[in-house]
């Protein structure tokens, strides 16, 4: 059984920072990419950041220059460092692990940016 455990979400002031983490447990083979997606109330789910097994990174336009994704392949863990947070970053952030024959999702962690 594969489970993704997310942590690091919470309430932060505008301009603040948070670091999300997602640890994958269980046997996972052939991982292509690990990443983060988010969904705000009334909006569609959107890509935040993805890192492939080869180290290639892809960011959503709205977070480029502010967010940084990293991973520890040995621990099957992916991180998301979020700087200069703005109210529009408020959303539920979902961890994703994608492979050739599977697509796993975490339960989501709430990030709220408010003064």
């Amino acid at each position: 059984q594969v489970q993704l455990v997310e942590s690091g979400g919470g309430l932060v002031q505008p301009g603040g920072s948070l670091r999300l983490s997602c640890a994958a447990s269980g046997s996972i083979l052939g991982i292509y990419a690990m990443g983060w997606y988010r969904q705000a109330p009334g909006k569609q789910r959107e890509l935040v950041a993805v890192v492939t097994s080869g180290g290639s990174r892809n960011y959503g336009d709205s977070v480029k220059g502010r967010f940084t994704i990293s991973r520890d392949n040995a621990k099957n863990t992916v991180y998301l460092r979020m700087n200069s947070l703005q109210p529009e970053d408020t959303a539920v952030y979902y961890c994703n692990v994608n492979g050739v024959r599977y697509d796993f999702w975490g339960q989501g962690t709430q990030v709220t940016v408010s003064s």
Side-chain angles (χ1 to χ4, degrees):
Q1 295 292 322
V2 175
Q3 293 187 352
L4 305 182
V5 180
E6 300 150 315
S7 63
L11 175 65
V12 65
Q13 298 270 48
S17 299
L18 286 174
R19 189 194 191 202
L20 306 183
S21 64
C22 173
S25 63
S27 60
I28 303 179
L29 301 176
I31 294 176
Y32 172 72
M34 300 182 72
W36 294 91
Y37 294 75
R38 69 185 183 187
Q39 186 167 21
K43 296 184 178 181
Q44 294 180 296
R45 183 182 64 183
E46 65 177 349
L47 169 71
V48 177
V50 170
V51 58
T52 70
S53 60
S56 179
R57 292 170 170 81
N58 186 30
Y59 294 92
D61 290 340
S62 64
V63 307
K64 288 181 179 178
R66 299 188 297 119
F67 292 8
T68 303
I69 190 169
S70 61
R71 88 292 188 192
D72 185 334
N73 289 335
K75 297 180 179 180
N76 284 336
T77 301
V78 63
Y79 306 92
L80 183 69
R81 178 67 179 180
M82 304 183 292
N83 295 327
S84 301
L85 284 163
Q86 305 169 27
E88 51 264 40
D89 294 315
T90 296
V92 177
Y93 285 69
Y94 296 94
C95 177
N96 172 253
V97 178
N98 178 256
V100 176
R101 299 179 180 179
Y102 55 82
D103 195 28
F104 299 120
W105 292 88
Q107 67 178 15
T109 184
Q110 177 71 46
V111 172
T112 302
V113 185
S114 176
S115 60

